[in-house]
Amino acid sequence: MLNVPSQCFPAPSSQQRSASGGRSKVPLKQGRSLMDWIRLTKSGKDLTGLKGRLIEVTEEELKKHNKRDDCWICIRGFVYNVSPYMEYHPGGEDELMRAAGSDGTDLFDQVHRWVNYESMLKECLVGRMAIKPAILKDSHEGKKVLNGMLPKSPVTDPLPKEAPSSPSYDWFQTDSLVTIVIYTKQKDISLDSVIIDHQGDSIRAEVIVKDYSYLLHIGLCHDVQEDFSVRVIENVGKIEIILKKRENTSWKCLGRPLENDNSLIPKKDRGLCYRKCQLVSKEDVTHDTKLLCVMLPPSTHLQVPVGQHVYLKLTITGDFVSVSNPEGNFKISKLQELEDLFLLAAGTGFTPMVKIMNYALTYLPSLRTVKLMFFNKTEDDIIWRSQLEKLACKDKRFNVEFVLSTPTSDWNGKQGHISPALISEFLKANLDKSKVLICICGPTPFTEEGIKLLHDLNFSKDEIHSFTA
């Protein structure tokens, strides 16, 4: 990606050039030789001042770093903090300062075309210059290539007006790592918005942006190790995928676009992607419910957002389970500033309520109550009954009520099916004007009847969220 420079530094009149056109050197202090510099770069000392982070640098930010003790220079789209290198530079500090706080590519290229500055300054790498948006000449022309970005897929039919701005991606490398950066242009992106699968020689990264799916799908030009890391900078909506090279060679390109690369479409139109996961354990929860624990492969990053679910495909008695991408339209923003949370669940419809309960009780300072009404046929059907009862004792904000449709004669609790009589008392909020959310999940007849009853009780659509059991 970083090509050998082809142009030039310093100017012909510079002190670094002799009259014959050769390059003179400035005497260096003792202990400031090339070998001393190499030893410093291998010492583990933070030479960027960023503690190992790589950042995106705007032109405005670059201009601020224009002093000898705070000098950043851009070379071919990459920004380096050359302050530590000042006393080691054979051409002297003045020559470096000519490019301080600016793009020094042309200056460096004039006399450094043979120098491997990528290796020389790799420990000084601050990050990459921020990419300016490309401008389309017309609706049928692809976006221009900027700062080494891969060509975009041809522009297809325009997205609806309500669609978010299409993300873009870029990449850069060191001797051992390749970092792919996705710019989502959104500030509400989190780690559970990102699904990444490294499969063979390709990488597939899907990012959920509002109700849309953005896909990066690349056939890599070189081999990388199976495991990788991913980081999200939420305040700017930037995603970094860090791949480990199998060989410390310089990549000339990231790879080739694969099917649907760089596309943004409604999430519901994307289709499910499955990956094979190892079945770690299986245990009985009730007489007809089991808890499966599966382990994602190291080549996958996937987190199931609060209120969403996955689909499973497995061969009976097999050791592996295929797990889909998360599905569901629950938005965690529904829980913000919530005061009263009511959960209506029937049977395995309790499943999505677990993470919602835990999130609400852990992260919502405004929360006053979480109430669960759990419908089952018999006592033996109640999932995690003892855990729920313990939670109710431990956290006074949580309350659970069990309702059985076919109880035994010694059952002293509530019984019957979902009805106005059962839920009207259950749904009383602490205050008439409190912010309320009611979640409901169960078999289709249960959910449909429950939603009808909630509407009859004058709860609005914004106060009700139904899940598919």
Side-chain angles (χ1 to χ4, degrees), residues 283-297:
E283 62 182 79
D284 292 333
V285 178
T286 68
H287 65 96
D288 61 356
T289 306
K290 296 184 183 296
L291 175 66
L292 304 182
C293 179
V294 299
M295 181 172 62
L296 288 169

Side-chain angles (χ1 to χ4, degrees), residues 144-421:
K144 295 179 181 178
V145 178
L146 291 176
N147 287 352
M149 290 184 68
L150 289 175
K152 304 299 181 186
S153 301
V155 177
T156 55
D157 294 335
L159 291 168
K161 290 183 178 179
E162 66 271 14
S165 299
S166 181
S168 61
Y169 67 88
D170 199 356
W171 70 285
F172 57 87
Q173 63 179 306
T174 63
D175 286 348
S176 59
L177 302 174
V178 169
T179 300
I180 302 172
V181 184
I182 301 175
Y183 304 95
T184 68
K185 306 167 189 173
Q186 304 290 325
K187 292 187 177 181
D188 56 353
I189 300 297
S190 58
L191 275 174
D192 60 17
S193 304
V194 185
I195 307 106
I196 302 171
D197 292 284
H198 169 220
Q199 301 169 331
D201 63 350
S202 70
I203 187 162
R204 184 186 191 277
E206 184 178 355
V207 183
I208 306 305
V209 184
K210 297 182 178 178
D211 292 323
Y212 284 75
S213 163
Y214 172 75
L215 184 67
L216 178 155
H217 198 192
I218 291 290
L220 300 172
C221 67
H222 293 280
D223 290 338
V224 296
Q225 297 181 35
E226 188 178 32
D227 61 317
F228 59 87
S229 58
V230 58
R231 189 166 75 103
V232 172
I233 300 88
E234 295 186 15
N235 61 335
V236 294
K238 185 171 71 171
I239 300 163
E240 295 180 351
I241 305 167
I242 300 98
L243 307 174
K244 301 174 185 176
K245 296 179 179 178
R246 286 200 180 273
E247 296 181 357
N248 292 350
T249 57
S250 180
W251 292 20
K252 293 184 178 180
C253 67
L254 181 60
R256 67 191 189 284
L258 298 178
E259 183 181 8
N260 297 321
D261 176 56
N262 200 36
S263 61
L264 179 71
I265 62 174
K267 181 185 174 185
K268 61 183 177 59
D269 297 335
R270 179 66 73 188
L272 292 176
C273 176
Y274 285 82
R275 70 278 305 151
K276 185 180 288 188
C277 303
Q278 185 174 359
L279 181 61
V280 176
S281 64
K282 180 174 65 175
E283 62 182 79
D284 292 333
V285 178
T286 68
H287 65 96
D288 61 356
T289 306
K290 296 184 183 296
L291 175 66
L292 304 182
C293 179
V294 299
M295 181 172 62
L296 288 169
S299 57
T300 292
H301 165 84
L302 183 152
Q303 296 179 358
V304 182
V306 173
Q308 296 192 18
H309 60 278
V310 296
Y311 295 101
L312 305 179
K313 294 193 300 187
L314 69 158
T315 303
I316 302 302
T317 72
D319 293 330
F320 291 91
V321 178
S322 293
V323 178
S324 77
N325 286 3
E327 283 284 285
N329 60 357
F330 183 83
K331 299 289 191 301
I332 204 167
S333 57
K334 286 179 172 286
L335 300 176
Q336 301 309 312
E337 300 180 1
L338 193 68
E339 295 171 280
D340 295 290
L341 175 62
F342 299 101
L343 309 173
L344 296 168
T348 53
F350 167 69
T351 307
M353 308 303 183
V354 178
K355 289 190 74 172
I356 292 176
M357 278 187 336
N358 287 337
Y359 181 90
L361 291 169
T362 305
Y363 297 109
L364 300 184
S366 59
L367 189 72
R368 285 195 300 258
T369 59
V370 177
K371 297 178 70 176
L372 168 67
M373 180 167 276
F374 196 0
F375 293 80
N376 288 278
K377 292 181 180 179
T378 69
E379 286 187 76
D380 292 337
D381 295 317
I382 302 174
I383 299 173
W384 289 331
R385 178 180 180 179
S386 62
Q387 290 93 326
L388 290 170
E389 290 174 336
K390 288 178 182 177
L391 178 61
C393 293
K394 180 180 177 181
D395 194 323
K396 299 304 179 184
R397 295 173 299 169
F398 178 69
N399 176 265
V400 59
E401 297 180 17
F402 302 110
V403 182
L404 303 181
S405 58
T406 55
T408 58
S409 56
D410 57 355
W411 172 252
N412 296 321
K414 294 182 177 179
Q415 52 186 292
H417 298 276
I418 190 168
S419 64

Side-chain angles (χ1 to χ4, degrees), residues 83-150:
S83 307
Y85 185 59
M86 284 284 182
E87 294 184 346
Y88 297 83
H89 184 230
E93 296 182 11
D94 289 343
E95 290 300 326
L96 285 178
M97 288 303 299
R98 292 180 64 197
S102 66
D103 190 330
T105 303
D106 289 343
L107 291 172
F108 267 92
D109 286 353
Q110 287 176 22
V111 295
H112 286 298
R113 61 188 303 164
W114 59 86
V115 174
N116 185 352
Y117 63 83
E118 303 160 63
S119 177
M120 183 79 70
L121 298 176
K122 66 180 181 180
E123 299 302 326
C124 299
L125 180 64
V126 170
R128 185 154 196 154
M129 286 298 294
I131 296 171
K132 296 178 181 178
I135 300 174
L136 296 181
K137 290 184 179 179
D138 57 57
S139 61
H140 300 289
E141 181 181 334
K143 293 183 178 179
K144 295 179 181 178
V145 178
L146 291 176
N147 287 352
M149 290 184 68
L150 289 175

